[in-house]
Amino acid sequence: MLLEEERNLLVDYGKKLITAGLTKGTGGNISVFNKREGLMAISPSGMDYFETKPEDIVLMDLEGKIVDGLRKPSSEWRMHLIFYQNREDVGAVVHTHSMFATTIATLRWDVPPASYLIAYAGKKVPCAPYATFGTQEIANAAYNTMGKEYNAVLLANHGLIAVGPDMPSAFGIAEIIEMVCEIYYRAKCVGEPTILSDDEMDLMLEKFKTYGQK
């Protein structure tokens, strides 16, 4: 089976989207990119994550053509593809409808550095302008807002996108940014959060480069 490892990975992480509380039902979508083959493996459209099998995963090239798979790809395939087309550092994309990130996105706020953990995504998490799901417009809005400076972006009235060099990294960023959004939301309910300085965030970005095992 072509890209069998990537297909199995998406099946496993699709289930984690649900168990980690990052989406409900068939919402959200995930993908990985195999640079050697030049192919994106992406979750199928509207399928129960716990019913999805490796053969249901769809493979597409960088032109957006289906190379292998009998299912329809996620309706948001353009929003995944644009990152693989434009960012060499991105090997996986995770799109969620997680509660607190989506709440902040509905307010159309950027998420400022109320927690140092936002450094996983950058100095903040910006909010992209609204566009209809499944269109090239939302793909462009997501990429243009995230650019090469950030690893996560809110989608106005929609949800969150996180990117990383591999699926564990992208998924971990999605989980952390959901927690950061919850912290920010809860703090706003009580008062006005104290925001970390730009200098402190520069330091955090440097420290995070050497955090963890290599």
Side-chain angles (χ1 to χ4, degrees), residues 27-28 74 80 102 109 111 122 153 178:
S74 166
H80 292 248
T102 304
W109 293 348
V111 184
V153 65
E178 170 62 7

Side-chain angles (χ1 to χ4, degrees), residues 59-72:
L59 306 185
M60 306 180 76
D61 64 20
L62 284 176
E63 302 300 317
K65 297 176 183 176
I66 295 175
V67 173
D68 193 37
L70 299 176
R71 302 291 187 180
K72 287 171 54 180

Side-chain angles (χ1 to χ4, degrees), residues 43-88:
S43 51
S45 178
M47 284 192 69
D48 187 319
Y49 289 108
F50 287 91
E51 299 294 329
T52 300
K53 297 177 174 57
E55 56 266 29
D56 296 316
I57 302 301
V58 184
L59 306 185
M60 306 180 76
D61 64 20
L62 284 176
E63 302 300 317
K65 297 176 183 176
I66 295 175
V67 173
D68 193 37
L70 299 176
R71 302 291 187 180
K72 287 171 54 180
S74 166
S75 60
E76 300 287 17
W77 63 266
R78 296 172 184 84
M79 195 165 62
H80 292 248
L81 199 64
I82 197 169
F83 288 98
Y84 301 132
Q85 290 170 331
N86 292 284
R87 282 186 55 167
E88 285 288 328

Side-chain angles (χ1 to χ4, degrees), residues 106-121:
T106 301
L107 292 164
R108 302 192 181 187
W109 293 348
D110 293 348
V111 184
S115 166
Y116 77 96
L117 290 170
I118 207 168
Y120 278 99

Side-chain angles (χ1 to χ4, degrees), residues 81-102:
L81 199 64
I82 197 169
F83 288 98
Y84 301 132
Q85 290 170 331
N86 292 284
R87 282 186 55 167
E88 285 288 328
D89 61 319
V90 173
V93 177
V94 173
H95 169 44
T96 79
H97 296 163
S98 48
M99 184 60 66
F100 288 94
T102 304

